[in-house]
Amino acid sequence: MVFDTSEVPGWLSALLSEKFFNACIVHEDAKKNEKNVFCMDCCEGICPHCLANHRSHRLLQIRRYVYHDVIRLVDADKLMDCAQVQCYTTNSAKVVFLNQRPQTRPPRASGSLCITCDRNLQESSLFCSLSCKLQHVLRTGCKLSKYLRKCEFLALPEQGLDDGQMTPDSVLEPAGSMRTESGSSSGVPAGLIECPNLICTATTEVVKKKRSNLPGCSTGFRPACGPVSEISECMMNRRKGTPHRSPLH
């Protein structure tokens, strides 16, 4: 995604237009040479073999989820306001998509849609990716600088650089999380959208609500059998009756 406007800083335009997980041209003969790191100071994607020349730079690890680029919410929140962008929890990390994804089917008539690309979302979200939110801010004439954050230091995870591949067992961000991973509030700054700041609803919460509304289901949980102590006492009180033998002829 390329933005032809002076409001978008160079690092952000390069981040959203870079083709990650392609082979690094500098280290094309080396193993594990996929570009899965973005250098904010050089505005380019680099591979793990390039890290030696970028140690003092602001580095952002790019991950891959369902064949599309994502970044951790804790990192994205340091760069821009991520309120109302639909996020996922996968591999114990909250992530957001960088760009909108192509749709293979028309959107459902009911439910919430992404304001920019009409992708189906949870009711608490308004954007499917950071790019879609950025496009909306620019289209509505808002100052992009209000939603960008000054980040002077950004390092890779302390546990080291992983391969960036995320497993597909993700869930939507739980409804109880009022703060991002970095601890900052996810409120909406003035001027973006005239609606309350809603957060993503967990799929597990939806399942619980559906189950509670089924006919014949009670809200409280009762075990199918009594406690072990009651069962043992019942078994001990049972007396064996006198055996009856058939008469002899």
Side-chain angles (χ1 to χ4, degrees):
M1 181 64 64
V2 180
F3 298 92
D4 298 326
T5 173
S6 58
E7 286 192 63
V8 182
W11 66 264
L12 182 55
S13 179
L15 173 64
L16 298 178
S17 59
E18 179 67 72
K19 300 298 182 183
F20 294 103
F21 291 92
N22 288 339
C24 176
I25 299 178
V26 180
H27 303 95
E28 58 182 352
D29 295 329
K31 296 181 178 180
K32 297 184 178 180
N33 63 347
E34 292 183 330
K35 296 189 295 182
N36 62 349
V37 176
F38 180 75
C39 179
M40 293 182 58
D41 294 293
C42 300
C43 298
E44 65 176 351
I46 61 176
C47 76
H49 304 287
C50 301
L51 291 177
N53 299 325
H54 300 264
R55 289 297 181 185
S56 60
H57 298 176
R58 294 170 295 172
L59 301 177
L60 176 66
Q61 182 175 3
I62 310 300
R63 291 172 166 83
R64 196 80 163 164
Y65 175 67
V66 289
Y67 306 104
H68 293 280
D69 301 331
V70 297
I71 60 176
R72 294 189 307 167
L73 180 61
V74 67
D75 293 330
D77 192 55
K78 297 176 182 178
L79 305 176
M80 64 179 293
D81 172 34
C82 301
Q84 296 177 318
V85 177
Q86 181 164 291
C87 53
Y88 297 84
T89 300
T90 179
N91 288 22
S92 302
K94 301 171 187 176
V95 297
V96 290
F97 283 97
L98 288 179
N99 292 294
Q100 65 187 61
R101 293 160 287 161
Q103 303 188 56
T104 57
R105 63 184 67 180
R108 298 189 301 269
S110 60
S112 178
L113 299 177
C114 176
I115 295 177
T116 303
C117 68
D118 293 335
R119 173 176 285 276
N120 286 105
L121 304 173
Q122 294 297 303
E123 295 181 359
S124 52
S125 303
L126 298 177
F127 308 100
C128 70
S129 64
L130 298 179
S131 174
C132 283
K133 180 170 184 177
L134 178 58
Q135 292 182 63
H136 177 77
V137 171
L138 296 174
R139 186 175 64 249
T140 53
C142 298
K143 292 291 184 180
L144 182 61
S145 57
K146 293 182 179 180
Y147 309 103
L148 298 181
R149 293 168 178 167
K150 189 176 182 180
C151 179
E152 298 181 351
F153 177 79
L154 187 63
L156 297 176
E158 295 182 358
Q159 62 270 26
L161 192 67
D162 54 47
D163 60 3
Q165 301 296 333
M166 312 294 285
T167 55
D169 55 344
S170 68
V171 295
L172 294 178
E173 173 62 10
S177 302
M178 294 301 295
R179 294 180 178 272
T180 60
E181 285 189 1
S182 61
S184 61
S185 176
S186 58
V188 182
L192 176 59
I193 294 176
E194 295 300 325
C195 70
N197 177 32
L198 302 176
I199 53 178
C200 301
T201 305
T203 0
T204 52
E205 293 294 331
V206 176
V207 173
K208 289 180 181 178
K209 291 182 180 179
K210 288 183 178 180
R211 288 180 177 177
S212 63
N213 293 331
L214 291 175
C217 293
S218 58
T219 55
F221 173 77
R222 298 186 63 185
C225 58
V228 177
S229 59
E230 295 181 5
I231 297 177
S232 301
E233 183 179 356
C234 179
M235 295 295 293
M236 292 296 293
N237 291 336
R238 290 181 59 185
R239 293 185 177 180
K240 194 173 182 180
T242 304
H244 297 278
R245 299 184 179 182
S246 56
L248 297 176
H249 297 285

